[in-house]
Short mmCIF file of all heavy atoms in Angstrom, two decimals:
data_model
loop_
_atom_site.label_atom_id
_atom_site.label_comp_id
_atom_site.label_asym_id
_atom_site.label_seq_id
_atom_site.Cartn_x
_atom_site.Cartn_y
_atom_site.Cartn_z
N MET A 1057 -95.33 -40.30 -42.57
CA MET A 1057 -95.44 -39.34 -43.64
C MET A 1057 -96.22 -39.96 -44.78
O MET A 1057 -96.03 -41.12 -45.10
CB MET A 1057 -94.06 -38.92 -44.12
CG MET A 1057 -94.13 -37.98 -45.29
SD MET A 1057 -92.54 -37.66 -46.08
CE MET A 1057 -92.20 -39.24 -46.80
N LYS A 1058 -97.07 -39.18 -45.39
CA LYS A 1058 -97.85 -39.61 -46.54
C LYS A 1058 -97.72 -38.55 -47.62
O LYS A 1058 -97.84 -37.36 -47.36
CB LYS A 1058 -99.31 -39.77 -46.13
CG LYS A 1058 -100.22 -40.18 -47.26
CD LYS A 1058 -101.66 -40.28 -46.78
CE LYS A 1058 -102.57 -40.56 -47.94
NZ LYS A 1058 -103.97 -40.47 -47.59
N ARG A 1059 -97.46 -38.99 -48.84
CA ARG A 1059 -97.33 -38.04 -49.95
C ARG A 1059 -98.70 -37.75 -50.53
O ARG A 1059 -99.47 -38.65 -50.80
CB ARG A 1059 -96.42 -38.62 -51.02
CG ARG A 1059 -96.15 -37.65 -52.12
CD ARG A 1059 -95.11 -38.19 -53.05
NE ARG A 1059 -94.96 -37.26 -54.15
CZ ARG A 1059 -94.37 -37.54 -55.26
NH1 ARG A 1059 -93.85 -38.73 -55.45
NH2 ARG A 1059 -94.27 -36.65 -56.21
N GLY A 1060 -98.99 -36.49 -50.72
CA GLY A 1060 -100.28 -36.09 -51.25
C GLY A 1060 -100.14 -35.44 -52.61
O GLY A 1060 -99.09 -35.50 -53.23
N PRO A 1061 -101.20 -34.81 -53.09
CA PRO A 1061 -101.16 -34.17 -54.40
C PRO A 1061 -100.21 -32.98 -54.42
O PRO A 1061 -99.96 -32.34 -53.40
CB PRO A 1061 -102.61 -33.72 -54.60
CG PRO A 1061 -103.16 -33.59 -53.24
CD PRO A 1061 -102.45 -34.63 -52.40
N ARG A 1062 -99.68 -32.68 -55.61
CA ARG A 1062 -98.82 -31.52 -55.83
C ARG A 1062 -97.60 -31.50 -54.92
O ARG A 1062 -97.25 -30.48 -54.34
CB ARG A 1062 -99.59 -30.23 -55.67
CG ARG A 1062 -100.66 -30.06 -56.70
CD ARG A 1062 -101.36 -28.74 -56.49
NE ARG A 1062 -101.78 -28.26 -57.78
CZ ARG A 1062 -101.91 -27.01 -58.10
NH1 ARG A 1062 -101.66 -26.08 -57.22
NH2 ARG A 1062 -102.31 -26.66 -59.30
N GLU A 1063 -96.98 -32.65 -54.74
CA GLU A 1063 -95.75 -32.74 -53.95
C GLU A 1063 -95.91 -32.27 -52.51
O GLU A 1063 -95.00 -31.73 -51.92
CB GLU A 1063 -94.62 -31.96 -54.62
CG GLU A 1063 -94.28 -32.46 -55.99
CD GLU A 1063 -93.73 -33.88 -56.00
OE1 GLU A 1063 -92.94 -34.22 -55.11
OE2 GLU A 1063 -94.12 -34.65 -56.89
N ARG A 1064 -97.07 -32.45 -51.94
CA ARG A 1064 -97.28 -32.13 -50.53
C ARG A 1064 -97.08 -33.39 -49.70
O ARG A 1064 -97.38 -34.48 -50.14
CB ARG A 1064 -98.67 -31.55 -50.32
CG ARG A 1064 -98.74 -30.12 -50.79
CD ARG A 1064 -100.03 -29.46 -50.39
NE ARG A 1064 -100.00 -28.04 -50.61
CZ ARG A 1064 -100.10 -27.45 -51.80
NH1 ARG A 1064 -100.21 -28.18 -52.89
NH2 ARG A 1064 -100.07 -26.14 -51.89
N TYR A 1065 -96.60 -33.21 -48.49
CA TYR A 1065 -96.33 -34.32 -47.59
C TYR A 1065 -97.08 -34.08 -46.29
O TYR A 1065 -97.07 -32.98 -45.76
CB TYR A 1065 -94.82 -34.43 -47.32
CG TYR A 1065 -94.04 -34.70 -48.58
CD1 TYR A 1065 -93.65 -33.67 -49.43
CD2 TYR A 1065 -93.71 -36.00 -48.94
CE1 TYR A 1065 -92.95 -33.91 -50.59
CE2 TYR A 1065 -93.01 -36.26 -50.10
CZ TYR A 1065 -92.63 -35.21 -50.93
OH TYR A 1065 -91.95 -35.46 -52.08
N TYR A 1066 -97.71 -35.12 -45.79
CA TYR A 1066 -98.52 -35.03 -44.59
C TYR A 1066 -97.86 -35.83 -43.48
O TYR A 1066 -97.50 -36.99 -43.67
CB TYR A 1066 -99.93 -35.58 -44.86
CG TYR A 1066 -100.62 -34.81 -45.96
CD1 TYR A 1066 -100.46 -35.16 -47.29
CD2 TYR A 1066 -101.39 -33.69 -45.66
CE1 TYR A 1066 -101.07 -34.43 -48.30
CE2 TYR A 1066 -102.00 -32.95 -46.67
CZ TYR A 1066 -101.84 -33.33 -47.98
OH TYR A 1066 -102.44 -32.61 -48.98
N TYR A 1067 -97.70 -35.22 -42.31
CA TYR A 1067 -97.03 -35.85 -41.18
C TYR A 1067 -97.99 -35.98 -40.00
O TYR A 1067 -98.78 -35.08 -39.73
CB TYR A 1067 -95.85 -34.99 -40.71
CG TYR A 1067 -94.72 -34.95 -41.69
CD1 TYR A 1067 -94.70 -34.04 -42.73
CD2 TYR A 1067 -93.66 -35.83 -41.57
CE1 TYR A 1067 -93.65 -33.99 -43.63
CE2 TYR A 1067 -92.61 -35.80 -42.47
CZ TYR A 1067 -92.61 -34.88 -43.49
OH TYR A 1067 -91.58 -34.84 -44.38
N LEU A 1068 -97.84 -37.08 -39.29
CA LEU A 1068 -98.52 -37.27 -38.01
C LEU A 1068 -97.50 -37.99 -37.12
O LEU A 1068 -97.18 -39.15 -37.36
CB LEU A 1068 -99.79 -38.09 -38.16
CG LEU A 1068 -100.62 -38.28 -36.90
CD1 LEU A 1068 -101.05 -36.93 -36.34
CD2 LEU A 1068 -101.81 -39.15 -37.16
N ILE A 1069 -96.98 -37.29 -36.14
CA ILE A 1069 -95.91 -37.82 -35.28
C ILE A 1069 -96.34 -37.65 -33.83
O ILE A 1069 -96.81 -36.59 -33.43
CB ILE A 1069 -94.59 -37.06 -35.51
CG1 ILE A 1069 -94.17 -37.11 -36.99
CG2 ILE A 1069 -93.48 -37.62 -34.62
CD1 ILE A 1069 -93.01 -36.19 -37.34
N ALA A 1070 -96.14 -38.69 -33.02
CA ALA A 1070 -96.44 -38.62 -31.59
C ALA A 1070 -95.20 -39.01 -30.79
O ALA A 1070 -94.55 -40.01 -31.10
CB ALA A 1070 -97.60 -39.53 -31.23
N LYS A 1071 -94.86 -38.21 -29.79
CA LYS A 1071 -93.69 -38.47 -28.95
C LYS A 1071 -94.01 -38.12 -27.51
O LYS A 1071 -94.93 -37.36 -27.23
CB LYS A 1071 -92.49 -37.63 -29.41
CG LYS A 1071 -91.96 -38.00 -30.78
CD LYS A 1071 -91.24 -39.33 -30.73
CE LYS A 1071 -90.70 -39.70 -32.09
NZ LYS A 1071 -90.01 -40.95 -32.08
N GLY A 1072 -93.20 -38.62 -26.60
CA GLY A 1072 -93.40 -38.37 -25.18
C GLY A 1072 -92.98 -36.98 -24.73
O GLY A 1072 -93.52 -36.45 -23.76
N THR A 1073 -92.00 -36.40 -25.41
CA THR A 1073 -91.56 -35.05 -25.04
C THR A 1073 -91.60 -34.14 -26.26
O THR A 1073 -91.46 -34.59 -27.39
CB THR A 1073 -90.13 -35.04 -24.46
OG1 THR A 1073 -89.21 -35.38 -25.49
CG2 THR A 1073 -89.97 -35.99 -23.29
N LEU A 1074 -91.73 -32.87 -25.98
CA LEU A 1074 -91.76 -31.88 -27.06
C LEU A 1074 -90.40 -31.84 -27.77
O LEU A 1074 -90.34 -31.70 -28.99
CB LEU A 1074 -92.11 -30.51 -26.48
CG LEU A 1074 -92.46 -29.41 -27.46
CD1 LEU A 1074 -93.58 -29.83 -28.40
CD2 LEU A 1074 -92.83 -28.15 -26.71
N GLU A 1075 -89.34 -32.02 -27.03
CA GLU A 1075 -87.99 -32.02 -27.62
C GLU A 1075 -87.83 -33.16 -28.64
O GLU A 1075 -87.31 -32.94 -29.74
CB GLU A 1075 -86.94 -32.16 -26.52
CG GLU A 1075 -85.52 -32.11 -27.04
CD GLU A 1075 -84.49 -32.22 -25.93
OE1 GLU A 1075 -84.85 -32.18 -24.74
OE2 GLU A 1075 -83.31 -32.36 -26.27
N GLU A 1076 -88.28 -34.37 -28.30
CA GLU A 1076 -88.21 -35.50 -29.23
C GLU A 1076 -89.04 -35.22 -30.49
O GLU A 1076 -88.63 -35.54 -31.60
CB GLU A 1076 -88.75 -36.77 -28.57
CG GLU A 1076 -87.90 -37.34 -27.49
CD GLU A 1076 -88.57 -38.51 -26.79
OE1 GLU A 1076 -89.81 -38.50 -26.64
OE2 GLU A 1076 -87.85 -39.43 -26.39
N LEU A 1077 -90.19 -34.65 -30.29
CA LEU A 1077 -91.09 -34.34 -31.40
C LEU A 1077 -90.46 -33.35 -32.38
O LEU A 1077 -90.41 -33.59 -33.59
CB LEU A 1077 -92.40 -33.77 -30.85
CG LEU A 1077 -93.50 -33.47 -31.86
CD1 LEU A 1077 -94.08 -34.77 -32.38
CD2 LEU A 1077 -94.57 -32.63 -31.21
N VAL A 1078 -89.94 -32.27 -31.85
CA VAL A 1078 -89.32 -31.24 -32.69
C VAL A 1078 -88.08 -31.79 -33.39
O VAL A 1078 -87.85 -31.52 -34.57
CB VAL A 1078 -88.98 -29.99 -31.85
CG1 VAL A 1078 -88.13 -29.01 -32.64
CG2 VAL A 1078 -90.26 -29.32 -31.37
N GLU A 1079 -87.30 -32.58 -32.69
CA GLU A 1079 -86.09 -33.17 -33.27
C GLU A 1079 -86.43 -34.06 -34.47
O GLU A 1079 -85.83 -33.94 -35.54
CB GLU A 1079 -85.34 -33.98 -32.22
CG GLU A 1079 -84.02 -34.54 -32.70
CD GLU A 1079 -83.31 -35.29 -31.60
OE1 GLU A 1079 -83.22 -34.76 -30.47
OE2 GLU A 1079 -82.83 -36.40 -31.87
N GLU A 1080 -87.40 -34.95 -34.32
CA GLU A 1080 -87.78 -35.83 -35.42
C GLU A 1080 -88.37 -35.05 -36.59
O GLU A 1080 -88.03 -35.29 -37.74
CB GLU A 1080 -88.77 -36.89 -34.97
CG GLU A 1080 -89.14 -37.84 -36.10
CD GLU A 1080 -89.96 -39.03 -35.66
OE1 GLU A 1080 -89.90 -39.41 -34.48
OE2 GLU A 1080 -90.67 -39.57 -36.52
N PHE A 1081 -89.24 -34.10 -36.30
CA PHE A 1081 -89.86 -33.32 -37.37
C PHE A 1081 -88.82 -32.48 -38.12
O PHE A 1081 -88.85 -32.41 -39.34
CB PHE A 1081 -90.96 -32.42 -36.80
CG PHE A 1081 -91.69 -31.65 -37.86
CD1 PHE A 1081 -92.54 -32.30 -38.74
CD2 PHE A 1081 -91.54 -30.28 -37.97
CE1 PHE A 1081 -93.22 -31.61 -39.72
CE2 PHE A 1081 -92.22 -29.57 -38.94
CZ PHE A 1081 -93.06 -30.24 -39.83
N SER A 1082 -87.89 -31.90 -37.39
CA SER A 1082 -86.84 -31.10 -38.03
C SER A 1082 -85.99 -31.95 -38.95
O SER A 1082 -85.64 -31.53 -40.06
CB SER A 1082 -85.94 -30.46 -36.97
OG SER A 1082 -86.67 -29.55 -36.20
N GLU A 1083 -85.65 -33.14 -38.52
CA GLU A 1083 -84.85 -34.06 -39.34
C GLU A 1083 -85.61 -34.47 -40.60
O GLU A 1083 -85.05 -34.53 -41.68
CB GLU A 1083 -84.47 -35.29 -38.52
CG GLU A 1083 -83.51 -36.22 -39.21
CD GLU A 1083 -82.14 -35.63 -39.44
OE1 GLU A 1083 -81.69 -34.80 -38.63
OE2 GLU A 1083 -81.51 -36.00 -40.46
N GLU A 1084 -86.89 -34.73 -40.46
CA GLU A 1084 -87.71 -35.17 -41.60
C GLU A 1084 -87.94 -34.07 -42.63
O GLU A 1084 -88.15 -34.36 -43.80
CB GLU A 1084 -89.09 -35.64 -41.09
CG GLU A 1084 -89.07 -36.93 -40.32
CD GLU A 1084 -89.14 -38.13 -41.22
OE1 GLU A 1084 -89.62 -38.02 -42.36
OE2 GLU A 1084 -88.68 -39.19 -40.78
N THR A 1085 -87.92 -32.83 -42.20
CA THR A 1085 -88.34 -31.74 -43.10
C THR A 1085 -87.23 -30.74 -43.41
O THR A 1085 -87.52 -29.58 -43.70
CB THR A 1085 -89.54 -31.00 -42.48
OG1 THR A 1085 -89.14 -30.47 -41.21
CG2 THR A 1085 -90.73 -31.90 -42.33
N LYS A 1086 -86.00 -31.17 -43.41
CA LYS A 1086 -84.88 -30.26 -43.67
C LYS A 1086 -85.02 -29.48 -44.98
O LYS A 1086 -84.70 -28.32 -45.05
CB LYS A 1086 -83.56 -31.02 -43.69
CG LYS A 1086 -83.04 -31.36 -42.34
CD LYS A 1086 -81.70 -32.05 -42.45
CE LYS A 1086 -81.17 -32.38 -41.09
NZ LYS A 1086 -79.91 -33.10 -41.16
N ARG A 1087 -85.49 -30.14 -46.02
CA ARG A 1087 -85.56 -29.52 -47.34
C ARG A 1087 -86.99 -29.24 -47.78
O ARG A 1087 -87.30 -29.24 -48.96
CB ARG A 1087 -84.87 -30.42 -48.35
CG ARG A 1087 -83.38 -30.51 -48.11
CD ARG A 1087 -82.69 -31.38 -49.13
NE ARG A 1087 -81.26 -31.40 -48.90
CZ ARG A 1087 -80.64 -32.21 -48.07
NH1 ARG A 1087 -81.32 -33.08 -47.37
NH2 ARG A 1087 -79.33 -32.15 -47.93
N ARG A 1088 -87.85 -29.02 -46.81
CA ARG A 1088 -89.25 -28.76 -47.13
C ARG A 1088 -89.73 -27.49 -46.46
O ARG A 1088 -89.23 -27.08 -45.42
CB ARG A 1088 -90.11 -29.94 -46.69
CG ARG A 1088 -89.77 -31.18 -47.47
CD ARG A 1088 -90.86 -32.22 -47.34
NE ARG A 1088 -90.55 -33.33 -48.20
CZ ARG A 1088 -90.07 -34.49 -47.75
NH1 ARG A 1088 -89.90 -34.68 -46.47
NH2 ARG A 1088 -89.81 -35.46 -48.60
N GLU A 1089 -90.74 -26.89 -47.04
CA GLU A 1089 -91.37 -25.70 -46.47
C GLU A 1089 -92.65 -26.14 -45.77
O GLU A 1089 -93.46 -26.87 -46.34
CB GLU A 1089 -91.70 -24.72 -47.58
CG GLU A 1089 -92.40 -23.49 -47.08
CD GLU A 1089 -92.78 -22.55 -48.20
OE1 GLU A 1089 -92.21 -22.65 -49.30
OE2 GLU A 1089 -93.68 -21.73 -47.97
N VAL A 1090 -92.84 -25.68 -44.55
CA VAL A 1090 -94.01 -26.04 -43.77
C VAL A 1090 -95.16 -25.11 -44.14
O VAL A 1090 -95.04 -23.90 -44.07
CB VAL A 1090 -93.73 -25.96 -42.26
CG1 VAL A 1090 -94.98 -26.28 -41.46
CG2 VAL A 1090 -92.60 -26.90 -41.89
N GLU A 1091 -96.28 -25.71 -44.56
CA GLU A 1091 -97.47 -24.93 -44.89
C GLU A 1091 -98.44 -24.84 -43.72
O GLU A 1091 -99.12 -23.85 -43.55
CB GLU A 1091 -98.20 -25.56 -46.08
CG GLU A 1091 -97.43 -25.47 -47.37
CD GLU A 1091 -98.23 -26.01 -48.53
OE1 GLU A 1091 -99.13 -26.84 -48.32
OE2 GLU A 1091 -97.94 -25.61 -49.67
N GLN A 1092 -98.52 -25.92 -42.96
CA GLN A 1092 -99.44 -25.96 -41.81
C GLN A 1092 -98.81 -26.81 -40.73
O GLN A 1092 -98.22 -27.86 -41.02
CB GLN A 1092 -100.77 -26.57 -42.23
CG GLN A 1092 -101.77 -26.66 -41.11
CD GLN A 1092 -103.07 -27.32 -41.56
OE1 GLN A 1092 -103.34 -27.41 -42.75
NE2 GLN A 1092 -103.85 -27.77 -40.61
N LEU A 1093 -98.94 -26.38 -39.47
CA LEU A 1093 -98.33 -27.11 -38.36
C LEU A 1093 -99.23 -26.97 -37.13
O LEU A 1093 -99.61 -25.87 -36.75
CB LEU A 1093 -96.95 -26.54 -38.05
CG LEU A 1093 -96.23 -27.10 -36.83
CD1 LEU A 1093 -95.86 -28.56 -37.07
CD2 LEU A 1093 -95.01 -26.28 -36.53
N ASP A 1094 -99.59 -28.10 -36.55
CA ASP A 1094 -100.38 -28.13 -35.31
C ASP A 1094 -99.72 -29.09 -34.34
O ASP A 1094 -99.32 -30.18 -34.73
CB ASP A 1094 -101.81 -28.60 -35.58
CG ASP A 1094 -102.56 -27.64 -36.49
OD1 ASP A 1094 -102.69 -26.48 -36.11
OD2 ASP A 1094 -103.01 -28.09 -37.56
N ILE A 1095 -99.62 -28.67 -33.08
CA ILE A 1095 -99.11 -29.54 -32.02
C ILE A 1095 -100.12 -29.52 -30.88
O ILE A 1095 -100.53 -28.45 -30.43
CB ILE A 1095 -97.74 -29.08 -31.50
CG1 ILE A 1095 -96.70 -29.10 -32.63
CG2 ILE A 1095 -97.28 -29.97 -30.34
CD1 ILE A 1095 -95.35 -28.55 -32.25
N ILE A 1096 -100.53 -30.70 -30.45
CA ILE A 1096 -101.44 -30.80 -29.31
C ILE A 1096 -100.87 -31.80 -28.31
O ILE A 1096 -100.00 -32.60 -28.66
CB ILE A 1096 -102.87 -31.23 -29.74
CG1 ILE A 1096 -102.85 -32.58 -30.47
CG2 ILE A 1096 -103.49 -30.16 -30.63
CD1 ILE A 1096 -104.24 -33.13 -30.76
N TYR A 1097 -101.35 -31.76 -27.09
CA TYR A 1097 -100.93 -32.67 -26.03
C TYR A 1097 -102.13 -33.54 -25.66
O TYR A 1097 -103.16 -33.03 -25.22
CB TYR A 1097 -100.46 -31.86 -24.82
CG TYR A 1097 -99.83 -32.69 -23.75
CD1 TYR A 1097 -98.55 -33.21 -23.92
CD2 TYR A 1097 -100.49 -32.96 -22.57
CE1 TYR A 1097 -97.95 -33.96 -22.93
CE2 TYR A 1097 -99.91 -33.70 -21.57
CZ TYR A 1097 -98.64 -34.21 -21.75
OH TYR A 1097 -98.06 -34.97 -20.77
N VAL A 1098 -102.00 -34.85 -25.90
CA VAL A 1098 -103.11 -35.77 -25.68
C VAL A 1098 -102.61 -37.00 -24.93
O VAL A 1098 -101.65 -37.64 -25.35
CB VAL A 1098 -103.72 -36.23 -27.03
CG1 VAL A 1098 -104.87 -37.19 -26.82
CG2 VAL A 1098 -104.16 -35.05 -27.86
N ASN A 1099 -103.26 -37.33 -23.85
CA ASN A 1099 -102.94 -38.55 -23.09
C ASN A 1099 -101.45 -38.71 -22.81
O ASN A 1099 -100.88 -39.78 -22.97
CB ASN A 1099 -103.46 -39.79 -23.82
CG ASN A 1099 -104.96 -39.82 -23.92
OD1 ASN A 1099 -105.65 -39.29 -23.06
ND2 ASN A 1099 -105.47 -40.40 -24.98
N GLY A 1100 -100.80 -37.64 -22.40
CA GLY A 1100 -99.40 -37.70 -22.02
C GLY A 1100 -98.41 -37.72 -23.17
O GLY A 1100 -97.24 -38.00 -22.98
N ARG A 1101 -98.87 -37.42 -24.39
CA ARG A 1101 -97.98 -37.41 -25.56
C ARG A 1101 -98.23 -36.14 -26.38
O ARG A 1101 -99.35 -35.66 -26.46
CB ARG A 1101 -98.22 -38.63 -26.44
CG ARG A 1101 -97.90 -39.94 -25.72
CD ARG A 1101 -98.04 -41.13 -26.60
NE ARG A 1101 -97.09 -41.19 -27.68
CZ ARG A 1101 -95.86 -41.70 -27.59
NH1 ARG A 1101 -95.44 -42.17 -26.45
NH2 ARG A 1101 -95.08 -41.74 -28.64
N TYR A 1102 -97.16 -35.66 -26.97
CA TYR A 1102 -97.28 -34.54 -27.91
C TYR A 1102 -97.54 -35.11 -29.29
O TYR A 1102 -96.87 -36.04 -29.73
CB TYR A 1102 -95.99 -33.72 -27.93
CG TYR A 1102 -95.79 -32.93 -26.66
CD1 TYR A 1102 -95.04 -33.46 -25.61
CD2 TYR A 1102 -96.36 -31.68 -26.50
CE1 TYR A 1102 -94.85 -32.75 -24.44
CE2 TYR A 1102 -96.18 -30.96 -25.33
CZ TYR A 1102 -95.43 -31.50 -24.31
OH TYR A 1102 -95.26 -30.80 -23.15
N VAL A 1103 -98.52 -34.56 -29.98
CA VAL A 1103 -98.88 -35.03 -31.32
C VAL A 1103 -98.75 -33.85 -32.28
O VAL A 1103 -99.33 -32.80 -32.07
CB VAL A 1103 -100.32 -35.59 -31.35
CG1 VAL A 1103 -100.68 -36.06 -32.75
CG2 VAL A 1103 -100.48 -36.72 -30.35
N LEU A 1104 -97.99 -34.08 -33.33
CA LEU A 1104 -97.76 -33.06 -34.35
C LEU A 1104 -98.43 -33.51 -35.63
O LEU A 1104 -98.29 -34.66 -36.04
CB LEU A 1104 -96.26 -32.90 -34.57
CG LEU A 1104 -95.82 -31.95 -35.68
CD1 LEU A 1104 -94.52 -31.27 -35.27
CD2 LEU A 1104 -95.63 -32.66 -36.99
N SER A 1105 -99.16 -32.61 -36.26
CA SER A 1105 -99.66 -32.87 -37.60
C SER A 1105 -99.22 -31.69 -38.45
O SER A 1105 -99.25 -30.54 -38.02
CB SER A 1105 -101.18 -33.03 -37.62
OG SER A 1105 -101.81 -31.85 -37.23
N ALA A 1106 -98.75 -32.00 -39.66
CA ALA A 1106 -98.19 -30.95 -40.51
C ALA A 1106 -98.38 -31.28 -41.98
O ALA A 1106 -98.49 -32.44 -42.36
CB ALA A 1106 -96.71 -30.76 -40.21
N VAL A 1107 -98.39 -30.22 -42.78
CA VAL A 1107 -98.40 -30.33 -44.24
C VAL A 1107 -97.18 -29.56 -44.72
O VAL A 1107 -96.97 -28.41 -44.34
CB VAL A 1107 -99.67 -29.73 -44.85
CG1 VAL A 1107 -99.63 -29.83 -46.37
CG2 VAL A 1107 -100.91 -30.41 -44.29
N THR A 1108 -96.35 -30.21 -45.53
CA THR A 1108 -95.16 -29.57 -46.08
C THR A 1108 -95.09 -29.79 -47.58
O THR A 1108 -95.82 -30.60 -48.12
CB THR A 1108 -93.87 -30.14 -45.45
OG1 THR A 1108 -93.71 -31.50 -45.85
CG2 THR A 1108 -93.88 -30.04 -43.94
N LYS A 1109 -94.20 -29.04 -48.21
CA LYS A 1109 -93.93 -29.29 -49.62
C LYS A 1109 -92.46 -29.01 -49.89
O LYS A 1109 -91.79 -28.31 -49.11
CB LYS A 1109 -94.83 -28.46 -50.53
CG LYS A 1109 -94.59 -26.97 -50.50
CD LYS A 1109 -95.56 -26.28 -51.45
CE LYS A 1109 -95.32 -24.79 -51.47
NZ LYS A 1109 -96.25 -24.12 -52.38
N ASN A 1110 -91.96 -29.54 -50.99
CA ASN A 1110 -90.57 -29.32 -51.36
C ASN A 1110 -90.34 -27.85 -51.64
O ASN A 1110 -91.18 -27.20 -52.26
CB ASN A 1110 -90.20 -30.15 -52.59
CG ASN A 1110 -90.16 -31.63 -52.28
OD1 ASN A 1110 -89.91 -32.03 -51.15
ND2 ASN A 1110 -90.40 -32.44 -53.27
N LYS A 1111 -89.21 -27.34 -51.23
CA LYS A 1111 -88.89 -25.93 -51.50
C LYS A 1111 -88.77 -25.68 -52.99
O LYS A 1111 -89.19 -24.64 -53.47
CB LYS A 1111 -87.61 -25.53 -50.78
CG LYS A 1111 -87.79 -25.41 -49.29
CD LYS A 1111 -86.54 -24.95 -48.62
CE LYS A 1111 -86.75 -24.84 -47.12
NZ LYS A 1111 -85.55 -24.43 -46.41
N LYS A 1112 -88.23 -26.62 -53.75
CA LYS A 1112 -88.08 -26.46 -55.20
C LYS A 1112 -89.43 -26.28 -55.88
O LYS A 1112 -89.57 -25.45 -56.76
CB LYS A 1112 -87.40 -27.68 -55.81
CG LYS A 1112 -85.95 -27.78 -55.53
CD LYS A 1112 -85.39 -28.99 -56.24
CE LYS A 1112 -83.93 -29.18 -55.97
NZ LYS A 1112 -83.41 -30.37 -56.64
N SER A 1113 -90.44 -27.05 -55.48
CA SER A 1113 -91.73 -26.98 -56.16
C SER A 1113 -92.41 -25.64 -55.95
O SER A 1113 -93.18 -25.20 -56.79
CB SER A 1113 -92.65 -28.13 -55.74
OG SER A 1113 -92.85 -28.12 -54.35
N GLN A 1114 -92.12 -24.93 -54.88
CA GLN A 1114 -92.72 -23.61 -54.67
C GLN A 1114 -92.15 -22.62 -55.68
O GLN A 1114 -92.85 -21.75 -56.16
CB GLN A 1114 -92.46 -23.10 -53.26
CG GLN A 1114 -93.14 -21.75 -53.04
CD GLN A 1114 -92.76 -21.11 -51.74
OE1 GLN A 1114 -91.77 -21.48 -51.15
NE2 GLN A 1114 -93.54 -20.16 -51.31
N GLU A 1115 -90.85 -22.73 -56.00
CA GLU A 1115 -90.23 -21.81 -56.92
C GLU A 1115 -90.84 -21.89 -58.31
O GLU A 1115 -90.90 -20.92 -59.04
CB GLU A 1115 -88.74 -22.09 -57.01
CG GLU A 1115 -88.01 -21.80 -55.68
CD GLU A 1115 -86.58 -22.28 -55.69
OE1 GLU A 1115 -86.11 -22.78 -56.73
OE2 GLU A 1115 -85.94 -22.15 -54.66
N THR A 1116 -91.33 -23.08 -58.70
CA THR A 1116 -91.88 -23.26 -60.02
C THR A 1116 -93.38 -23.03 -60.06
O THR A 1116 -93.96 -22.97 -61.13
CB THR A 1116 -91.58 -24.68 -60.55
OG1 THR A 1116 -92.12 -25.64 -59.64
CG2 THR A 1116 -90.08 -24.88 -60.70
N ASP A 1117 -94.05 -22.93 -58.90
CA ASP A 1117 -95.51 -22.71 -58.88
C ASP A 1117 -95.86 -21.30 -59.28
O ASP A 1117 -95.23 -20.36 -59.03
CB ASP A 1117 -96.08 -22.98 -57.47
CG ASP A 1117 -96.19 -24.48 -57.20
OD1 ASP A 1117 -96.01 -25.26 -58.14
OD2 ASP A 1117 -96.43 -24.83 -56.04
#
């Protein structure tokens, strides 16, 4: 995870199964709103890239 401008968070996660990928991403983003989500399958691994932001910061925007 990398923190970006305006309280946005960028994720790049790779796992062997889709279940592992979703489980880790769900745990990481419990209190965040997903703005963009992409999942691809490359070389036998699922790769997720996502942009999220805190739910609180959306209320004040």
Side-chain angles (χ1 to χ4, degrees):
M1057 177 190 68
K1058 179 181 174 188
R1059 185 172 176 195
R1062 296 181 148 209
E1063 300 296 319
R1064 284 189 169 75
Y1065 298 84
Y1066 301 87
Y1067 291 86
L1068 184 60
I1069 303 170
K1071 294 288 181 180
T1073 68
L1074 192 55
E1075 183 179 352
E1076 291 173 326
L1077 184 71
V1078 170
E1079 184 178 314
E1080 182 172 336
F1081 183 70
S1082 296
E1083 186 66 31
E1084 289 275 337
T1085 59
K1086 282 183 179 177
R1087 293 181 177 86
R1088 295 197 174 104
E1089 178 182 341
V1090 178
E1091 292 184 336
Q1092 179 182 343
L1093 174 68
D1094 296 301
I1095 299 175
I1096 58 173
Y1097 188 74
V1098 180
N1099 295 329
R1101 297 184 66 86
Y1102 289 93
V1103 179
L1104 176 146
S1105 64
V1107 178
T1108 67
K1109 67 180 181 180
N1110 291 332
K1111 288 183 180 178
K1112 287 183 182 179
S1113 58
Q1114 182 188 18
E1115 294 171 3
T1116 58
D1117 283 350

